[in-house]
Amino acid sequence: MNPLSRIPERSGTAFTLRKGQFLVVIDPLGQQVADLVAFNAADTREAISSGRTLDYAERIYLSTGDTLYSNRSQAMLDIVEDSVGRHDFLLTPCSIDTFRHFYPDKPPHRGCFGNLTAALEPYGIQADQIPGAFNCFMNVPVDADTGKLRVLPPLSRAGDHVRFEAGMDLIIGLTACSAYDSNGGTFKPIDYRIE
Ligand SMILES: [Zn+2]
């Protein structure tokens, strides 16, 4: 089994994931979000697509048995295990603009978007290519009548995980999210392992 890798708080990383390999994303301490984006390793114009995925799933809350699709409607990642059952695929990665919008009195941070941009740059992926992320463990309830969104602390507890199976050769970007509300007000690391 491959060793566990750790993404320090408020940072991100990128790596390749081959077709048929598994990616396990673990919340080691609990209540910490991890933003996940995926690109076709053979053509990075193909990327994970919230719109396609939610359209096909006919739901906004995804879990075991659901597939994350690309903008070209190909299966990129299957969720094969999920010990939490609540993730978000509506909201974009937090960014310096997010901090200016929601936290004008706090020091700005480049956020998941800046961390993903830096991590994916060596793979030739530009900032404008970064799609909406699958936000592991992010808890965004939606009011059934008004559609009003709230960002509440994650339901994940220490050691909770999601296991994905790659449907094609992928470049993955993964973060330990930097935003206050998404993570219950504190910033923790994220662990992952490729199997
Ligand atoms: Zn974030």
PDB file of all heavy atoms in Angstrom, residues 35 93-94 111-112 175 177-179, ligand 1:
ATOM      1  N   ASP A  35     -10.914  20.529  -1.446  1.00  0.00           N
ATOM      2  CA  ASP A  35     -11.395  20.772  -2.808  1.00  0.00           C
ATOM      3  C   ASP A  35     -10.647  19.867  -3.775  1.00  0.00           C
ATOM      4  O   ASP A  35      -9.409  19.809  -3.746  1.00  0.00           O
ATOM      5  CB  ASP A  35     -11.149  22.228  -3.222  1.00  0.00           C
ATOM      6  CG  ASP A  35     -12.101  23.216  -2.554  1.00  0.00           C
ATOM      7  OD1 ASP A  35     -12.662  22.879  -1.501  1.00  0.00           O
ATOM      8  OD2 ASP A  35     -12.253  24.319  -3.101  1.00  0.00           O
ATOM      9  N   PRO A  93     -13.922  26.985  -5.808  1.00  0.00           N
ATOM     10  CA  PRO A  93     -12.848  27.043  -4.808  1.00  0.00           C
ATOM     11  C   PRO A  93     -12.720  28.451  -4.218  1.00  0.00           C
ATOM     12  O   PRO A  93     -12.809  29.448  -4.952  1.00  0.00           O
ATOM     13  CB  PRO A  93     -11.590  26.680  -5.608  1.00  0.00           C
ATOM     14  CG  PRO A  93     -12.099  25.878  -6.771  1.00  0.00           C
ATOM     15  CD  PRO A  93     -13.434  26.479  -7.109  1.00  0.00           C
ATOM     16  N   CYS A  94     -12.504  28.527  -2.907  1.00  0.00           N
ATOM     17  CA  CYS A  94     -12.314  29.838  -2.283  1.00  0.00           C
ATOM     18  C   CYS A  94     -11.070  30.503  -2.889  1.00  0.00           C
ATOM     19  O   CYS A  94     -10.122  29.829  -3.286  1.00  0.00           O
ATOM     20  CB  CYS A  94     -12.202  29.708  -0.764  1.00  0.00           C
ATOM     21  SG  CYS A  94     -10.795  28.759  -0.144  1.00  0.00           S
ATOM     22  N   GLY A 111      -6.329  31.256  -0.987  1.00  0.00           N
ATOM     23  CA  GLY A 111      -7.383  30.258  -0.928  1.00  0.00           C
ATOM     24  C   GLY A 111      -7.103  29.030  -1.778  1.00  0.00           C
ATOM     25  O   GLY A 111      -6.018  28.841  -2.339  1.00  0.00           O
ATOM     26  N   CYS A 112      -8.125  28.174  -1.872  1.00  0.00           N
ATOM     27  CA  CYS A 112      -7.988  26.950  -2.667  1.00  0.00           C
ATOM     28  C   CYS A 112      -7.680  27.282  -4.125  1.00  0.00           C
ATOM     29  O   CYS A 112      -6.896  26.570  -4.766  1.00  0.00           O
ATOM     30  CB  CYS A 112      -9.271  26.128  -2.586  1.00  0.00           C
ATOM     31  SG  CYS A 112      -9.559  25.391  -0.966  1.00  0.00           S
ATOM     32  N   THR A 175      -6.819  20.172  -2.214  1.00  0.00           N
ATOM     33  CA  THR A 175      -6.426  21.174  -1.217  1.00  0.00           C
ATOM     34  C   THR A 175      -6.895  20.792   0.182  1.00  0.00           C
ATOM     35  O   THR A 175      -7.773  19.940   0.354  1.00  0.00           O
ATOM     36  CB  THR A 175      -7.046  22.552  -1.525  1.00  0.00           C
ATOM     37  OG1 THR A 175      -8.449  22.504  -1.244  1.00  0.00           O
ATOM     38  CG2 THR A 175      -6.806  22.987  -2.963  1.00  0.00           C
ATOM     39  N   CYS A 177      -8.779  23.144   2.533  1.00  0.00           N
ATOM     40  CA  CYS A 177      -9.453  24.429   2.267  1.00  0.00           C
ATOM     41  C   CYS A 177      -9.077  25.499   3.289  1.00  0.00           C
ATOM     42  O   CYS A 177      -8.867  25.224   4.466  1.00  0.00           O
ATOM     43  CB  CYS A 177     -10.959  24.214   2.243  1.00  0.00           C
ATOM     44  SG  CYS A 177     -11.893  25.732   1.971  1.00  0.00           S
ATOM     45  N   SER A 178      -9.072  26.747   2.788  1.00  0.00           N
ATOM     46  CA  SER A 178      -8.552  27.894   3.547  1.00  0.00           C
ATOM     47  C   SER A 178      -9.625  28.816   4.102  1.00  0.00           C
ATOM     48  O   SER A 178      -9.284  29.813   4.753  1.00  0.00           O
ATOM     49  CB  SER A 178      -7.660  28.736   2.623  1.00  0.00           C
ATOM     50  OG  SER A 178      -6.672  27.951   2.010  1.00  0.00           O
ATOM     51  N   ALA A 179     -10.905  28.537   3.827  1.00  0.00           N
ATOM     52  CA  ALA A 179     -11.965  29.488   4.193  1.00  0.00           C
ATOM     53  C   ALA A 179     -12.506  29.191   5.595  1.00  0.00           C
ATOM     54  O   ALA A 179     -12.600  28.037   6.004  1.00  0.00           O
ATOM     55  CB  ALA A 179     -13.089  29.431   3.173  1.00  0.00           C
TER      56      ALA A 179
HETATM   57 ZN    ZN B   1     -11.278  26.562  -0.014  1.00  0.00          ZN
END
